[in-house]
Amino acid sequence: MSDLSVSVLFSSYNGASRRLRHTLDSLVCQELPHDQWELIAVDNNSNDGTFDLLKSYSDKLPITILQQRKPGKSGALNLALDRVKGDLIVFTDDDVRAEPNWLKAIVDCAVAHPDYGVFGGRIVPDWEKEPRDPFIEWIPMGSTFAIVDETQSGPCDPTKVWGPNTIIRRELLGTSVRYREDIGPLPGKIFAMGEDAEIIIRLAANGAQSYRCAEAVVHHWIPASSVTEDWVQKRGERLGYGMPALFPDEVPGGVRLSGVPLPTWIESAQWAFRAALLYLLPRSKTRFWAIWKYYYMRGYRAGIRRYAPGTLAR
């Protein structure tokens, strides 16, 4: 057995009201010995029984419980990062069910591939209700439900590592590389998606290489309420809102109107026109994507104003 140690991190906002117990139970069943890993769980301003539920696992898990009153997942994870001891830092969520060999597979992969600093495991859907609607075949599963159902291990593009199965060698983060707290989930408002992708992209720009470890598997809970065309289409707005934060160099230059580049306005108008034409027609993949893009562009415009507010032509 390798002497690599692991720190597992997640934050939870009102997790006791949802799936947190299932996550903790799956961690209890991990094959990796307790003396080789730690769990740092952050109660992020919950108003349910999250803290008490976490505390009830103190005799079952190598757990450290922190409390962060300021809402925001990224800030909560940064608080946890200041306490980690492991050689490998595993970022996950409070609504996953990990396979028993999850952490062992991560350690084995990191030992076998010492030249890689970033690892992404497999994330498969854990449906509350198995979807029967054909529209499920139309949607971008990664950006919608954080699914990475790639069954082959090997080197991968850093933009393919995200979500609740993200692993980084601690030496890459040091004491200064942290999550951007203006990106990531916040309760009750639109937020920029992509806080995990952003930090990986930053590390890749500094030379970190990424590897897909398909043997490390978590099941990501997807409630039935999220499996509707309307919910998925509107989620596109959050995705669009985060794109200027993740990829500011891709924001068009030139003349801006109300803070938004003219080419973005033109593209937005084109998708709005298509969505309006198709809205009353029968359901189809073309109709779905026109409406999805309408919401995406609406978010993208707001994201430009928030994250790329410059008004001069580049």
Side-chain angles (χ1 to χ4, degrees), residues 151-165:
T151 59
Q152 297 296 317
S153 295
C156 67
D157 189 282
T159 61
K160 301 302 181 183
V161 177
W162 65 66
N165 207 351

Side-chain angles (χ1 to χ4, degrees), residues 96-285:
V96 303
R97 176 171 52 84
E99 291 286 343
N101 71 332
W102 177 49
L103 294 181
K104 183 178 183 301
I106 287 170
V107 170
D108 290 346
C109 189
V111 169
H113 304 283
D115 293 333
Y116 292 85
V118 173
F119 301 87
R122 190 173 169 212
I123 307 168
V124 298
D126 188 4
W127 305 104
E128 179 182 20
K129 182 178 180 181
E130 189 73 26
R132 304 294 182 187
D133 197 303
F135 99 93
I136 205 70
E137 302 295 331
W138 305 339
I139 70 175
M141 294 293 284
S143 59
T144 303
F145 298 127
I147 300 305
V148 186
D149 200 4
E150 173 58 62
T151 59
Q152 297 296 317
S153 295
C156 67
D157 189 282
T159 61
K160 301 302 181 183
V161 177
W162 65 66
N165 207 351
T166 298
I167 303 99
I168 303 173
R169 293 189 192 269
R170 180 159 64 101
E171 63 197 51
L172 295 182
L173 298 176
T175 60
S176 60
V177 179
R178 295 293 183 265
Y179 282 90
R180 280 181 54 176
E181 297 187 15
D182 59 342
I183 305 175
L186 289 167
K189 62 178 71 174
I190 187 173
F191 58 82
M193 294 169 56
E195 72 285 349
D196 40 16
E198 191 278 334
I199 201 169
I200 299 300
I201 291 169
R202 240 190 303 154
L203 293 173
N206 289 327
Q209 298 185 75
S210 301
Y211 192 93
R212 168 76 61 229
C213 179
E215 295 78 19
V217 181
V218 298
H219 302 256
H220 193 203
W221 175 252
I222 302 174
S225 59
S226 299
V227 190
T228 68
E229 282 195 48
D230 183 65
W231 189 94
V232 171
Q233 287 163 342
K234 290 179 179 177
R235 187 164 176 81
E237 185 171 5
R238 287 181 178 174
L239 179 65
Y241 188 65
M243 286 298 103
L246 270 64
F247 305 106
D249 292 340
E250 296 182 9
V251 175
V255 176
R256 295 194 177 200
L257 301 176
S258 299
V260 176
L262 183 59
T264 302
W265 277 117
I266 294 172
E267 185 177 1
S268 297
Q270 290 171 339
W271 284 112
F273 180 70
R274 292 180 195 177
L277 283 180
L278 295 169
Y279 183 75
L280 296 178
L281 295 181
R283 298 171 69 213
S284 68
K285 184 176 181 179

